[in-house]
Amino acid sequence: MNILGLDTAQPACSAALLMEGGALFARFEEMTKGHAEALAPMAEAVLEEAGIVPADLDLIAVTIGPGTFTGTRVALSFARGLGAALRLPVLGLTSLEVLAEPALAREGELIAASFDARRGEIYLQLFETDLTPASAPALAKLDGLTLPGDLSGRPLCLVGTGSALLAEALEDSHALRASGAPALPQAAAAARLAKAHVARAGLPALGAPPEPLYLREADAKLPKAGGALR
């Protein structure tokens, strides 16, 4: 199976191709703007490096947020358009689970994947060591932040741009450790997660493209006309 991974949800742009035999080809660049111009050339580059064409793809994996409003739409629109053109299934993954994928937690730890959401808030999701979600993606206020009762007190492995903020908010209630993993989601992780998803549940259905995940209402207003993304 050849899987194309895509991400533009945070201040970075990346594309990756995970091939049937395990070979990985990836491009990643941090950027605050220009995602729409950068993504297609990155995707073309990984396909060319691998020596395949779009028709050789079996699955597209894309982050659906949370993230910047415009950035999230770029990769999702591209993935949906490419999937429709090639009649390929498209798998949506939260940017937080993609962020958590390379974080190697120790036994008993929770992976705390977070992004700085500004305004005294973070986007946060917790995962067990096998990447099973321990909480839903959430927009959490840092002031007075506590974890759900059944997770309270467990040691945390921190990953993401919100890690320092989360550590400051929870330092008296949890043992904390930096994961050392990249602070931004990467398409290579999305492709690996997609491969694991297919092994568990099979390919997603055709004609059921993923929807964006917006956790902040002010950032979730779509254009009234045109219907570019719904």
Side-chain angles (χ1 to χ4, degrees):
M1 172 170 293
N2 296 323
I3 302 172
L4 179 66
L6 304 167
D7 170 70
T8 57
Q10 290 289 322
C13 181
S14 61
L17 174 67
L18 181 60
M19 297 190 70
E20 174 68 30
L24 178 68
F25 304 88
R27 297 287 188 279
F28 173 89
E29 183 178 347
E30 293 189 22
M31 59 179 67
T32 56
K33 58 183 179 180
H35 299 77
E37 294 77 16
L39 183 60
M42 282 188 177
E44 292 171 1
V46 296
L47 293 177
E48 182 177 351
E49 186 177 358
I52 69 170
V53 296
D56 296 321
L57 293 173
D58 299 292
L59 175 66
I60 301 169
V62 62
T63 51
I64 61 171
T68 65
F69 179 61
T70 301
T72 298
R73 293 173 64 195
V74 168
L76 192 49
S77 295
F78 183 82
R80 289 171 63 157
L82 186 61
L86 298 174
R87 291 194 54 78
L88 289 176
V90 179
L91 176 66
L93 300 162
T94 73
S95 52
L96 290 161
E97 63 184 311
V98 172
L99 179 67
E101 192 271 346
L104 299 177
R106 298 168 182 168
E107 185 177 357
E109 288 182 331
L110 288 169
I111 300 172
S114 64
F115 298 122
D116 183 357
R118 313 296 181 185
R119 310 180 197 174
E121 297 174 318
I122 57 172
Y123 294 117
L124 174 65
Q125 189 172 14
L126 303 173
F127 300 87
E128 300 290 350
T129 55
D130 63 357
L131 298 179
T132 300
S135 71
L139 180 63
K141 291 187 178 298
L142 289 162
D143 186 22
L145 177 65
T146 59
L147 300 187
D150 57 335
L151 305 177
S152 180
R154 287 184 59 180
L156 301 178
C157 176
L158 307 180
V159 59
T161 60
S163 291
L165 296 169
L166 183 60
E168 184 177 355
L170 295 178
E171 62 181 349
D172 294 331
S173 57
H174 293 261
L176 307 172
R177 182 178 67 86
S179 69
L184 293 169
Q186 300 196 7
R192 290 190 296 265
L193 281 172
K195 181 178 180 179
H197 174 90
V198 171
R200 291 192 311 270
L203 284 169
L206 279 173
E211 298 290 337
L213 174 64
Y214 297 121
L215 298 178
R216 178 177 278 157
E217 286 296 325
D219 294 337
K221 296 179 181 179
L222 298 174
K224 292 182 179 180
L229 182 66
R230 307 201 307 167

